[in-house]
Amino acid sequence: MKLLEEKILKEGKVLSSNVLKVDSFLNHQLDVAFINELGEEFKRLFAKEPINKILTIESSGIGIAALVAQHFDNCPVVFAKNKAGINHDGDFFHTKVESFTHKCVYNVMVSKAYLHPGDHVLIIDDFLAHGHAVIGLMDIVHQSGAVLEGVGIAIEKASQMGGSIIRKKGVHLESLAIIESMHDGVIKFKDNC
Ligand code: 5GP
């Protein structure tokens, strides 16, 4: 998506050859009008799928998922939690996810009240790197008996392999911008996006 690529080039900061900072519109401040346009594009890309629920993971997925959900009819957002709160009651689906940013393994959970066998789920996240977050969410969808309709990612970093692992599983994965490399601070996108 040209618009996202231009925004990344204008506002993104390359922290190392494998970490991109996009705090000005996605990870600290949310550019709501802009993310709405990403939502419109996800709706176009997944128009044929009967999606009734969006699943993401706290915390950075929540903002984008909520704005994307507005483009789908009657579509709540469920976010996987990585900490048990004091109001942790009832039954949960659990999985383990290694955090890209914190390098530790979280026990991630979603209440059984919010995912059911009749659900048709779209997973949304801000970044796709090694794929741990998305693969963990796919595991939770599988445990719930819901149907995984697809995965929508704002920014995929192709050098970190998560995208190819997930595509090999036959999942309908759409990334709005695919970064091929960030050597010496120069961002190069994959040609076909
Ligand atoms: P993965 O699980 O695919 O390795 O990493 C995905 C998660 O790590 C995303 O939910 C995102 O929060 C974070 N992440 C991965 N790469 C980056 C990056 O380059 N920049 C930022 N800001 N977050 C990233």
Side-chain angles (χ1 to χ4, degrees), residues 18-20 27 60 100 125-133 157:
N18 51 31
V19 181
L20 176 70
N27 288 139
S60 59
F100 180 88
D125 206 1
D126 56 347
F127 275 89
L128 177 59
H130 300 294
H132 298 136
K157 291 174 295 170

Side-chain angles (χ1 to χ4, degrees), residues 18-23 27 57-61 97-101 125-135 155 157 160 162 166 182:
N18 51 31
V19 181
L20 176 70
K21 193 170 169 177
V22 287
D23 280 7
N27 288 139
I57 186 163
E58 68 175 1
S59 57
S60 59
V97 171
E98 185 182 325
S99 161
F100 180 88
T101 29
D125 206 1
D126 56 347
F127 275 89
L128 177 59
H130 300 294
H132 298 136
V134 168
I135 289 166
I155 305 170
K157 291 174 295 170
Q160 287 158 337
I166 291 159
M182 298 193 288

Side-chain angles (χ1 to χ4, degrees), residues 42 48 63 69 73 80:
F42 280 128
K48 293 199 184 106
D73 289 336

Side-chain angles (χ1 to χ4, degrees), residues 20 23 70-71 73 93 107-108 122 129 134 162 169:
L20 176 70
D23 280 7
Q70 295 187 108
H71 296 269
D73 289 336
F93 301 113
N107 183 19
V108 164
L122 174 64
V134 168
K169 291 178 187 285

